[in-house]
Coordinates of all heavy atoms in Angstrom, one line a residue:
M1 N 34.9 31.8 -16.6 CA 34.2 31.1 -17.7 C 33.8 32.2 -18.7 O 33.2 33.2 -18.3 CB 32.9 30.4 -17.2 CG 32.2 29.7 -18.3 SD 30.7 28.9 -17.8 CE 31.0 28.1 -16.3
E2 N 34.1 32.0 -19.9 CA 33.7 33.0 -21.0 C 32.2 32.8 -21.3 O 31.6 31.8 -21.1 CB 34.5 32.7 -22.2 CG 36.0 33.2 -22.1 CD 36.7 33.1 -23.4 OE1 36.0 33.1 -24.5 OE2 37.9 33.0 -23.4
I3 N 31.7 33.8 -22.0 CA 30.3 33.9 -22.4 C 30.1 32.8 -23.4 O 29.1 32.0 -23.4 CB 29.9 35.2 -22.9 CG1 30.0 36.3 -21.8 CG2 28.6 35.2 -23.6 CD1 29.7 37.7 -22.2
N4 N 31.0 32.6 -24.4 CA 30.8 31.6 -25.4 C 30.8 30.2 -24.8 O 30.0 29.3 -25.2 CB 31.9 31.7 -26.4 CG 31.8 32.9 -27.3 OD1 30.7 33.4 -27.5 ND2 32.9 33.3 -27.9
E5 N 31.7 29.9 -23.8 CA 31.7 28.6 -23.2 C 30.4 28.4 -22.4 O 29.9 27.3 -22.4 CB 32.9 28.5 -22.2 CG 33.0 27.2 -21.6 CD 34.2 27.1 -20.6 OE1 35.0 28.1 -20.5 OE2 34.2 26.2 -19.8
A6 N 29.9 29.4 -21.8 CA 28.7 29.3 -21.0 C 27.5 29.0 -22.0 O 26.6 28.2 -21.7 CB 28.4 30.6 -20.2
L7 N 27.5 29.7 -23.1 CA 26.4 29.4 -24.1 C 26.5 28.0 -24.6 O 25.5 27.4 -24.8 CB 26.5 30.5 -25.2 CG 26.1 31.9 -24.9 CD1 26.3 32.8 -26.1 CD2 24.6 31.9 -24.5
I8 N 27.7 27.5 -24.9 CA 27.9 26.2 -25.4 C 27.4 25.2 -24.4 O 26.6 24.2 -24.7 CB 29.3 25.9 -25.8 CG1 29.7 26.8 -27.0 CG2 29.6 24.4 -26.0 CD1 31.2 26.8 -27.4
R9 N 27.7 25.4 -23.1 CA 27.3 24.5 -22.1 C 25.8 24.5 -21.9 O 25.2 23.5 -21.6 CB 28.0 24.8 -20.8 CG 29.5 24.5 -20.8 CD 30.2 24.8 -19.5 NE 29.8 23.9 -18.5 CZ 30.2 23.9 -17.3 NH1 31.1 24.8 -16.9 NH2 29.8 23.0 -16.4
L10 N 25.2 25.7 -22.0 CA 23.8 25.9 -21.8 C 23.0 25.2 -23.0 O 22.0 24.5 -22.7 CB 23.4 27.4 -21.8 CG 21.9 27.7 -21.6 CD1 21.4 27.1 -20.3 CD2 21.7 29.2 -21.7
E11 N 23.6 25.3 -24.2 CA 22.9 24.6 -25.3 C 23.0 23.1 -25.2 O 22.1 22.4 -25.5 CB 23.6 25.1 -26.6 CG 23.2 26.5 -27.0 CD 23.9 27.0 -28.3 OE1 24.8 26.2 -28.8 OE2 23.7 28.1 -28.7
A12 N 24.2 22.6 -24.7 CA 24.3 21.2 -24.5 C 23.4 20.7 -23.4 O 22.7 19.6 -23.6 CB 25.8 20.9 -24.1
H13 N 23.2 21.5 -22.4 CA 22.3 21.1 -21.3 C 20.8 21.1 -21.8 O 20.1 20.2 -21.5 CB 22.4 22.1 -20.2 CG 21.4 21.9 -19.0 ND1 21.6 20.9 -18.1 CD2 20.3 22.5 -18.7 CE1 20.6 20.9 -17.3 NE2 19.8 21.9 -17.6
E14 N 20.5 22.1 -22.6 CA 19.1 22.1 -23.2 C 18.9 20.9 -24.1 O 17.8 20.3 -24.1 CB 18.9 23.4 -24.0 CG 18.8 24.6 -23.0 CD 18.6 25.9 -23.8 OE1 18.6 25.9 -25.1 OE2 18.4 27.0 -23.1
K15 N 19.9 20.5 -24.9 CA 19.7 19.3 -25.8 C 19.5 18.1 -24.9 O 18.6 17.2 -25.2 CB 20.9 19.2 -26.7 CG 21.0 20.2 -27.8 CD 22.2 20.0 -28.7 CE 22.3 21.0 -29.7 NZ 23.5 20.9 -30.5
E16 N 20.3 18.0 -23.9 CA 20.2 16.8 -23.0 C 18.8 16.8 -22.3 O 18.1 15.7 -22.2 CB 21.3 16.8 -21.9 CG 21.3 15.6 -21.1 CD 22.4 15.6 -20.1 OE1 23.5 16.2 -20.4 OE2 22.3 14.9 -19.1
C17 N 18.3 17.9 -21.8 CA 17.0 18.0 -21.2 C 15.9 17.6 -22.2 O 14.9 17.0 -21.9 CB 16.8 19.4 -20.6 SG 17.7 19.6 -19.1
L18 N 16.1 18.1 -23.4 CA 15.1 17.8 -24.5 C 15.0 16.3 -24.7 O 13.8 15.8 -24.8 CB 15.4 18.6 -25.8 CG 14.4 18.4 -26.9 CD1 13.1 19.0 -26.5 CD2 15.0 19.1 -28.1
V19 N 16.1 15.6 -24.7 CA 16.1 14.2 -24.9 C 15.4 13.5 -23.7 O 14.6 12.6 -23.9 CB 17.5 13.7 -25.1 CG1 17.6 12.1 -25.0 CG2 18.1 14.1 -26.4
R20 N 15.7 14.0 -22.5 CA 15.1 13.4 -21.3 C 13.6 13.6 -21.3 O 12.9 12.7 -21.0 CB 15.8 14.0 -20.1 CG 17.2 13.5 -19.8 CD 17.7 14.1 -18.6 NE 19.1 13.7 -18.4 CZ 19.9 14.1 -17.4 NH1 19.4 15.0 -16.5 NH2 21.1 13.6 -17.2
Y21 N 13.2 14.8 -21.6 CA 11.7 15.1 -21.6 C 11.0 14.3 -22.7 O 9.9 13.8 -22.5 CB 11.5 16.6 -21.8 CG 11.9 17.4 -20.6 CD1 12.5 18.7 -20.8 CD2 11.6 17.0 -19.3 CE1 12.8 19.4 -19.7 CE2 11.9 17.8 -18.2 CZ 12.6 19.0 -18.4 OH 12.9 19.8 -17.3
Q22 N 11.7 14.1 -23.8 CA 11.1 13.3 -24.9 C 10.9 11.8 -24.4 O 9.9 11.2 -24.7 CB 11.9 13.4 -26.2 CG 11.2 12.7 -27.3 CD 9.9 13.4 -27.7 OE1 9.7 14.6 -27.7 NE2 8.9 12.6 -28.0
N23 N 11.9 11.3 -23.7 CA 11.9 10.0 -23.2 C 10.8 9.8 -22.2 O 10.0 8.8 -22.2 CB 13.2 9.5 -22.6 CG 14.3 9.3 -23.6 OD1 14.0 9.0 -24.8 ND2 15.5 9.4 -23.2
I24 N 10.6 10.8 -21.3 CA 9.5 10.8 -20.3 C 8.2 10.8 -21.1 O 7.3 10.0 -20.7 CB 9.6 12.0 -19.4 CG1 10.9 11.8 -18.5 CG2 8.4 12.1 -18.5 CD1 11.2 13.0 -17.7
K25 N 8.0 11.7 -22.0 CA 6.8 11.8 -22.8 C 6.5 10.5 -23.5 O 5.3 10.0 -23.5 CB 6.9 12.9 -23.8 CG 5.6 13.2 -24.5 CD 5.8 14.4 -25.4 CE 4.6 14.7 -26.2 NZ 4.7 15.9 -27.1
D26 N 7.5 9.8 -24.1 CA 7.3 8.6 -24.8 C 6.8 7.5 -23.8 O 6.0 6.7 -24.1 CB 8.6 8.1 -25.5 CG 8.9 9.0 -26.7 OD1 8.0 9.7 -27.2 OD2 10.1 9.0 -27.1
T27 N 7.5 7.5 -22.6 CA 7.1 6.5 -21.6 C 5.6 6.7 -21.2 O 4.9 5.7 -21.1 CB 8.0 6.6 -20.4 OG1 9.4 6.3 -20.8 CG2 7.7 5.5 -19.4
L28 N 5.3 7.9 -20.9 CA 3.9 8.2 -20.5 C 2.9 7.8 -21.6 O 1.8 7.2 -21.4 CB 3.7 9.7 -20.2 CG 4.4 10.1 -18.9 CD1 4.3 11.6 -18.7 CD2 3.8 9.4 -17.7
N29 N 3.2 8.1 -22.9 CA 2.3 7.8 -24.0 C 2.2 6.2 -24.2 O 1.2 5.7 -24.5 CB 2.8 8.4 -25.3 CG 2.6 9.9 -25.3 OD1 1.7 10.4 -24.7 ND2 3.4 10.6 -26.1
K30 N 3.4 5.6 -23.9 CA 3.4 4.1 -24.0 C 2.4 3.4 -23.0 O 1.8 2.4 -23.3 CB 4.8 3.6 -23.9 CG 4.9 2.1 -24.1 CD 6.4 1.7 -24.2 CE 7.0 1.6 -22.8 NZ 8.3 1.0 -22.8
H31 N 2.3 4.0 -21.8 CA 1.5 3.5 -20.8 C 0.2 4.2 -20.6 O -0.5 4.0 -19.6 CB 2.3 3.5 -19.4 CG 3.6 2.7 -19.4 ND1 3.5 1.3 -19.5 CD2 4.9 3.1 -19.4 CE1 4.8 0.9 -19.5 NE2 5.6 1.9 -19.4
H32 N -0.2 4.9 -21.6 CA -1.5 5.7 -21.5 C -2.7 4.8 -21.2 O -3.5 5.2 -20.4 CB -1.7 6.5 -22.9 CG -2.9 7.4 -22.9 ND1 -4.1 6.9 -23.3 CD2 -3.0 8.7 -22.5 CE1 -5.0 7.9 -23.1 NE2 -4.3 9.0 -22.7
D33 N -2.8 3.7 -22.0 CA -4.0 2.8 -21.8 C -4.0 2.2 -20.3 O -5.0 2.1 -19.7 CB -4.0 1.7 -22.8 CG -4.2 2.2 -24.2 OD1 -4.8 3.3 -24.3 OD2 -3.8 1.6 -25.2
R34 N -2.8 1.9 -19.9 CA -2.7 1.4 -18.5 C -3.1 2.4 -17.5 O -3.8 2.1 -16.5 CB -1.2 0.9 -18.3 CG -1.0 0.2 -17.0 CD 0.4 -0.3 -16.9 NE 0.6 -0.8 -15.6 CZ 1.8 -1.0 -15.0 NH1 2.9 -0.6 -15.7 NH2 2.0 -1.5 -13.9
F35 N -2.7 3.6 -17.7 CA -3.1 4.7 -16.7 C -4.6 4.9 -16.7 O -5.2 5.1 -15.7 CB -2.3 6.0 -17.0 CG -0.9 6.0 -16.8 CD1 0.0 6.6 -17.6 CD2 -0.3 5.3 -15.8 CE1 1.4 6.6 -17.4 CE2 1.1 5.2 -15.5 CZ 1.9 5.9 -16.4
D36 N -5.2 4.9 -17.9 CA -6.6 5.0 -18.0 C -7.3 3.9 -17.3 O -8.3 4.1 -16.6 CB -7.1 5.0 -19.5 CG -6.8 6.3 -20.2 OD1 -6.4 7.3 -19.5 OD2 -6.8 6.4 -21.4
K37 N -6.8 2.7 -17.4 CA -7.4 1.5 -16.8 C -7.3 1.7 -15.2 O -8.3 1.4 -14.5 CB -6.7 0.2 -17.2 CG -7.2 -1.0 -16.7 CD -6.5 -2.2 -17.3 CE -6.9 -3.5 -16.7 NZ -6.2 -4.7 -17.2
L38 N -6.1 2.1 -14.8 CA -6.0 2.3 -13.3 C -6.9 3.4 -12.8 O -7.4 3.3 -11.7 CB -4.5 2.7 -13.0 CG -3.5 1.5 -13.1 CD1 -2.1 2.1 -13.0 CD2 -3.8 0.4 -12.1
E39 N -7.0 4.5 -13.6 CA -7.9 5.5 -13.2 C -9.4 5.1 -13.1 O -10.1 5.4 -12.2 CB -7.8 6.7 -14.2 CG -8.6 7.9 -13.8 CD -8.5 9.0 -14.8 OE1 -7.9 8.8 -15.9 OE2 -9.0 10.1 -14.6
T40 N -9.8 4.2 -14.0 CA -11.1 3.7 -14.0 C -11.3 2.8 -12.8 O -12.4 2.9 -12.1 CB -11.4 2.9 -15.3 OG1 -11.2 3.7 -16.4 CG2 -12.8 2.3 -15.3
K41 N -10.4 2.0 -12.5 CA -10.4 1.1 -11.3 C -10.5 2.0 -10.0 O -11.3 1.6 -9.1 CB -9.3 0.2 -11.2 CG -9.3 -1.0 -12.2 CD -8.1 -1.9 -12.0 CE -8.2 -3.1 -12.8 NZ -7.1 -4.1 -12.6
A42 N -9.7 3.0 -9.9 CA -9.7 3.8 -8.8 C -11.0 4.5 -8.6 O -11.6 4.6 -7.5 CB -8.6 4.9 -8.8
Q43 N -11.6 5.1 -9.7 CA -12.9 5.7 -9.6 C -14.0 4.8 -9.2 O -14.8 5.1 -8.3 CB -13.2 6.3 -11.0 CG -14.5 7.1 -11.0 CD -14.4 8.4 -10.2 OE1 -13.4 9.0 -10.1 NE2 -15.5 8.7 -9.6
S44 N -13.9 3.6 -9.7 CA -14.9 2.5 -9.3 C -14.8 2.2 -7.8 O -15.8 2.1 -7.1 CB -14.7 1.3 -10.1 OG -15.5 0.2 -9.7
G45 N -13.6 2.1 -7.3 CA -13.3 1.8 -5.9 C -13.8 3.0 -5.0 O -14.4 2.7 -4.0
F46 N -13.6 4.2 -5.4 CA -14.1 5.4 -4.7 C -15.6 5.4 -4.6 O -16.2 5.7 -3.6 CB -13.5 6.7 -5.2 CG -12.0 6.9 -5.0 CD1 -11.2 7.4 -6.0 CD2 -11.5 6.6 -3.8 CE1 -9.9 7.5 -5.8 CE2 -10.1 6.7 -3.6 CZ -9.3 7.2 -4.6
E47 N -16.2 5.0 -5.7 CA -17.7 5.0 -5.8 C -18.2 3.9 -4.8 O -19.2 4.2 -4.1 CB -18.2 4.8 -7.2 CG -18.0 6.0 -8.1 CD -18.3 5.7 -9.6 OE1 -18.7 4.5 -9.9 OE2 -18.1 6.6 -10.4
R48 N -17.6 2.8 -4.8 CA -18.0 1.7 -3.9 C -17.8 2.2 -2.4 O -18.7 1.9 -1.6 CB -17.2 0.4 -4.1 CG -17.7 -0.4 -5.3 CD -17.1 -1.7 -5.2 NE -16.5 -2.0 -6.5 CZ -15.4 -2.7 -6.8 NH1 -14.8 -3.2 -5.8 NH2 -15.0 -2.8 -8.0
I49 N -16.7 2.8 -2.1 CA -16.5 3.3 -0.7 C -17.5 4.3 -0.3 O -18.1 4.3 0.8 CB -15.0 3.8 -0.6 CG1 -14.0 2.7 -0.7 CG2 -14.9 4.6 0.7 CD1 -12.6 3.2 -0.8
E50 N -17.8 5.2 -1.3 CA -18.9 6.2 -1.0 C -20.2 5.6 -0.7 O -20.9 5.9 0.2 CB -19.0 7.1 -2.2 CG -19.9 8.3 -2.0 CD -20.0 9.2 -3.2 OE1 -19.7 8.7 -4.4 OE2 -20.4 10.3 -3.1
K51 N -20.6 4.6 -1.5 CA -21.9 3.9 -1.3 C -21.9 3.1 0.0 O -22.9 3.2 0.8 CB -22.2 2.9 -2.4 CG -22.6 3.6 -3.7 CD -22.8 2.6 -4.8 CE -23.2 3.2 -6.1 NZ -23.3 2.3 -7.2
L52 N -20.8 2.5 0.3 CA -20.6 1.8 1.6 C -20.8 2.7 2.8 O -21.5 2.4 3.7 CB -19.3 1.0 1.7 CG -19.1 0.2 2.9 CD1 -20.1 -0.9 3.0 CD2 -17.6 -0.4 2.9
M53 N -20.2 3.9 2.7 CA -20.3 4.8 3.8 C -21.7 5.4 3.9 O -22.2 5.5 5.0 CB -19.3 6.0 3.5 CG -17.8 5.6 3.7 SD -16.7 6.9 3.3 CE -17.1 8.2 4.5
M54 N -22.3 5.6 2.8 CA -23.7 6.2 2.8 C -24.7 5.1 3.4 O -25.4 5.4 4.3 CB -24.2 6.6 1.4 CG -23.6 7.9 1.0 SD -24.0 8.4 -0.7 CE -25.5 7.6 -1.1
Y55 N -24.7 3.9 2.8 CA -25.6 2.9 3.2 C -25.2 2.4 4.6 O -26.1 2.1 5.4 CB -25.7 1.8 2.2 CG -26.3 2.2 0.9 CD1 -25.6 2.0 -0.3 CD2 -27.5 2.8 0.9 CE1 -26.1 2.4 -1.5 CE2 -28.0 3.3 -0.3 CZ -27.4 3.0 -1.5 OH -27.9 3.5 -2.7
G56 N -23.9 2.2 4.9 CA -23.5 1.7 6.2 C -23.9 2.7 7.3 O -24.3 2.3 8.4
G57 N -23.7 4.0 7.0 CA -24.0 5.0 8.0 C -25.5 5.1 8.3 O -26.0 5.2 9.4
T58 N -26.3 4.9 7.2 CA -27.7 4.9 7.3 C -28.2 3.7 8.1 O -29.0 3.8 9.0 CB -28.4 4.9 5.9 OG1 -28.0 6.0 5.2 CG2 -29.9 4.9 6.1
F59 N -27.6 2.5 7.9 CA -27.9 1.3 8.6 C -27.5 1.5 10.1 O -28.4 1.1 10.9 CB -27.1 0.1 8.0 CG -27.3 -1.2 8.7 CD1 -28.5 -1.9 8.5 CD2 -26.4 -1.7 9.5 CE1 -28.8 -3.1 9.1 CE2 -26.6 -2.9 10.1 CZ -27.8 -3.6 9.9
V60 N -26.4 2.0 10.4 CA -26.0 2.2 11.8 C -27.0 3.1 12.5 O -27.4 2.9 13.6 CB -24.5 2.7 11.9 CG1 -24.2 3.2 13.3 CG2 -23.6 1.6 11.4
I61 N -27.3 4.2 11.9 CA -28.3 5.2 12.5 C -29.6 4.5 12.7 O -30.3 4.7 13.7 CB -28.4 6.4 11.6 CG1 -27.1 7.2 11.7 CG2 -29.6 7.3 12.0 CD1 -27.1 8.4 10.7
A62 N -30.1 3.7 11.7 CA -31.3 3.0 11.9 C -31.3 2.0 13.0 O -32.2 1.9 13.8 CB -31.7 2.3 10.6
I63 N -30.2 1.2 13.1 CA -30.1 0.3 14.2 C -30.1 1.0 15.6 O -30.7 0.6 16.5 CB -28.8 -0.6 14.0 CG1 -29.0 -1.5 12.8 CG2 -28.5 -1.4 15.3 CD1 -30.1 -2.5 12.9
L64 N -29.3 2.1 15.7 CA -29.2 2.8 16.9 C -30.6 3.4 17.3 O -31.0 3.4 18.5 CB -28.2 4.0 16.8 CG -26.7 3.5 16.8 CD1 -25.8 4.7 16.6 CD2 -26.4 2.8 18.1
S65 N -31.3 3.9 16.3 CA -32.6 4.5 16.6 C -33.6 3.4 17.1 O -34.3 3.6 18.0 CB -33.2 5.1 15.3 OG -32.5 6.2 14.9
L66 N -33.5 2.2 16.4 CA -34.3 1.1 16.9 C -34.0 0.6 18.3 O -34.8 0.4 19.1 CB -34.2 -0.1 15.9 CG -35.0 -1.3 16.1 CD1 -36.5 -1.0 16.0 CD2 -34.6 -2.4 15.2
L67 N -32.7 0.6 18.5 CA -32.2 0.2 19.9 C -32.7 1.2 20.9 O -33.1 0.8 22.0 CB -30.7 0.0 19.9 CG -30.0 -0.4 21.2 CD1 -30.5 -1.8 21.5 CD2 -28.5 -0.3 21.1
I68 N -32.6 2.4 20.7 CA -33.0 3.4 21.6 C -34.5 3.3 21.8 O -35.0 3.4 23.0 CB -32.6 4.8 21.1 CG1 -31.1 5.0 21.2 CG2 -33.3 5.9 21.9 CD1 -30.6 6.3 20.6
T69 N -35.3 3.1 20.8 CA -36.7 3.0 20.9 C -37.1 1.7 21.7 O -37.9 1.8 22.6 CB -37.4 2.8 19.5 OG1 -37.0 3.9 18.7 CG2 -38.9 2.7 19.6
V70 N -36.4 0.6 21.5 CA -36.7 -0.6 22.3 C -36.3 -0.4 23.7 O -37.1 -0.8 24.6 CB -35.9 -1.8 21.7 CG1 -35.9 -3.0 22.6 CG2 -36.5 -2.2 20.3
L71 N -35.2 0.3 24.0 CA -34.8 0.5 25.4 C -35.7 1.5 26.1 O -36.0 1.3 27.3 CB -33.3 1.1 25.4 CG -32.2 0.1 25.0 CD1 -30.9 0.8 25.0 CD2 -32.2 -1.1 26.0
E72 N -36.2 2.4 25.4 CA -37.2 3.4 26.0 C -38.5 2.6 26.2 O -39.2 2.9 27.2 CB -37.5 4.6 25.0 CG -36.4 5.6 25.0 CD -36.3 6.3 26.3 OE1 -37.3 6.6 27.0 OE2 -35.1 6.6 26.7
F73 N -38.9 1.7 25.4 CA -40.1 1.0 25.5 C -40.0 0.0 26.7 O -41.0 -0.2 27.5 CB -40.4 0.2 24.2 CG -41.7 -0.6 24.3 CD1 -42.9 0.0 24.3 CD2 -41.6 -2.0 24.5 CE1 -44.1 -0.8 24.4 CE2 -42.8 -2.8 24.5 CZ -44.0 -2.1 24.5
M74 N -38.8 -0.5 26.9 CA -38.6 -1.5 28.0 C -38.5 -0.8 29.4 O -38.7 -1.4 30.4 CB -37.4 -2.3 27.8 CG -37.5 -3.3 26.6 SD -35.9 -4.1 26.3 CE -35.7 -5.0 27.8
R75 N -38.3 0.5 29.4 CA -38.2 1.2 30.6 C -39.4 1.2 31.4 O -40.4 1.2 31.7 CB -37.8 2.7 30.3 CG -37.0 3.3 31.3 CD -36.9 4.7 31.1 NE -35.6 5.2 30.8 CZ -35.3 6.5 30.7 NH1 -36.3 7.4 30.9 NH2 -34.2 6.9 30.4

């Protein structure tokens, strides 16, 4: 393969990649609002899970402490 042929093929490849990257960028821009909405929903879901774990864990510890106290009292 000659140098000129390699350069021509490389330039053609770069042009094709540029078109593909532009199409990807356009698609991402077109769905930007949708991605923001999904991100907001995910963040809200993670916050709910975090609260559930915190309050649920505290509730379980409280119940176990109460149960241990009652069992010790009944002894």
Side-chain angles (χ1 to χ4, degrees):
M1 179 184 320
E2 285 187 24
I3 294 175
N4 289 337
E5 183 183 348
L7 288 175
I8 291 170
R9 291 180 70 182
L10 182 60
E11 287 175 2
H13 177 76
E14 287 179 356
K15 285 180 184 179
E16 186 177 335
C17 286
L18 183 63
V19 169
R20 288 180 182 176
Y21 290 140
Q22 188 61 43
N23 287 338
I24 292 169
K25 186 176 180 181
D26 291 343
T27 301
L28 290 174
N29 287 335
K30 185 169 78 173
H31 296 293
H32 183 270
D33 294 335
R34 185 175 174 201
F35 292 144
D36 285 345
K37 185 177 176 182
L38 288 173
E39 184 179 7
T40 302
K41 284 183 176 181
Q43 184 65 32
S44 174
F46 290 137
E47 288 171 1
R48 278 194 234 147
I49 290 170
E50 183 180 25
K51 286 180 183 177
L52 181 63
M53 289 173 64
M54 284 176 26
Y55 294 126
T58 303
F59 180 75
V60 168
I61 290 172
I63 294 297
L64 287 176
S65 297
L66 181 63
L67 183 62
I68 290 171
T69 303
V70 169
L71 290 175
E72 284 293 323
F73 180 73
M74 291 177 61
R75 212 194 245 189

